[in-house]
Amino acid sequence: MHRLLYLFGLVLLLQLTACGHSPGPEEVAAETAKAYYEQLLHGKYDQFVDGRYFPDSIPGSYREQLIANAKMFVGEQQEQHKGISEVRIANAQADTATHTANVFLTFVYGDSTKEEVLVPMVEHRGVWYRR
C-alpha cells in the first residue's frame, strides 16, 4: 500500500511540475491532503486510512476500526449536510525544517454550507501523510 501512496505522490508531483513551475512543499502537501479526502468521498476508505502517518505498523483490527470510523464520518456528513460535495484547498503553510505542514481545506456540503478544516501533514521519506 505504501508503494501506491508513493506512486500517487510521484504522479502528483509530475503533474505540478508539468505546469512549468516547481511546486513548493506547501503545494504538494495541500494537493495530497485534498486527494486523501477525495478518496474518502469516493468510498475508498482503506486508501484514506493508509494516508495517515503511523511510525510503526498497526494491527489489522485497529486498521479496520479506522476504516469503520471513516465510513461513519461520511455517513454523518450525509445525514447532517447532504454529504460533502467538494473539497477545496483554502491555504497551506509548510515548515521545511520539521517536514510538516498545516493544510486548510474547505468542505463544501450538499446543503450549500461550507466548513474550513485543518489537516496537519507530515512528510516521511518523500511522501506526505495526514498526522
Side-chain angles (χ1 to χ4, degrees):
M1 189 54 66
H2 291 289
R3 287 183 189 169
L4 177 66
L5 292 174
Y6 179 76
L7 180 62
F8 174 75
L10 183 61
V11 168
L12 181 66
L13 185 61
L14 288 174
Q15 287 176 339
L16 289 172
T17 55
C19 296
H21 79 291
S22 180
E26 61 281 339
E27 288 178 90
V28 177
E31 289 293 337
T32 304
K34 179 182 176 191
Y36 286 140
Y37 277 92
E38 287 175 342
Q39 293 298 319
L40 179 68
L41 299 182
H42 289 100
K44 297 179 181 177
Y45 308 112
D46 55 337
Q47 291 179 17
F48 177 76
V49 168
D50 291 339
R52 184 164 176 199
Y53 177 71
F54 296 101
D56 296 315
S57 62
I58 61 172
S61 60
Y62 181 54
R63 184 173 182 274
E64 291 303 316
Q65 285 178 329
L66 293 173
I67 291 170
N69 286 345
K71 288 179 186 178
M72 252 188 328
F73 171 76
V74 170
E76 288 172 357
Q77 299 312 305
Q78 184 64 38
E79 200 174 285
Q80 295 173 2
H81 299 287
K82 299 181 183 175
I84 301 172
S85 60
E86 184 182 359
V87 177
R88 297 178 186 159
I89 298 168
N91 193 9
Q93 302 161 342
D95 183 341
T96 56
T98 61
H99 299 275
T100 60
N102 286 322
V103 176
F104 298 89
L105 298 177
T106 302
F107 291 169
V108 180
Y109 293 104
D111 63 4
S112 74
T113 59
K114 297 176 185 175
E115 179 181 14
E116 191 171 289
V117 297
L118 168 64
V119 182
M121 302 287 286
V122 61
E123 183 186 25
H124 180 70
R125 295 184 183 174
V127 177
W128 285 96
Y129 296 93
R130 291 176 293 105
R131 276 192 287 161

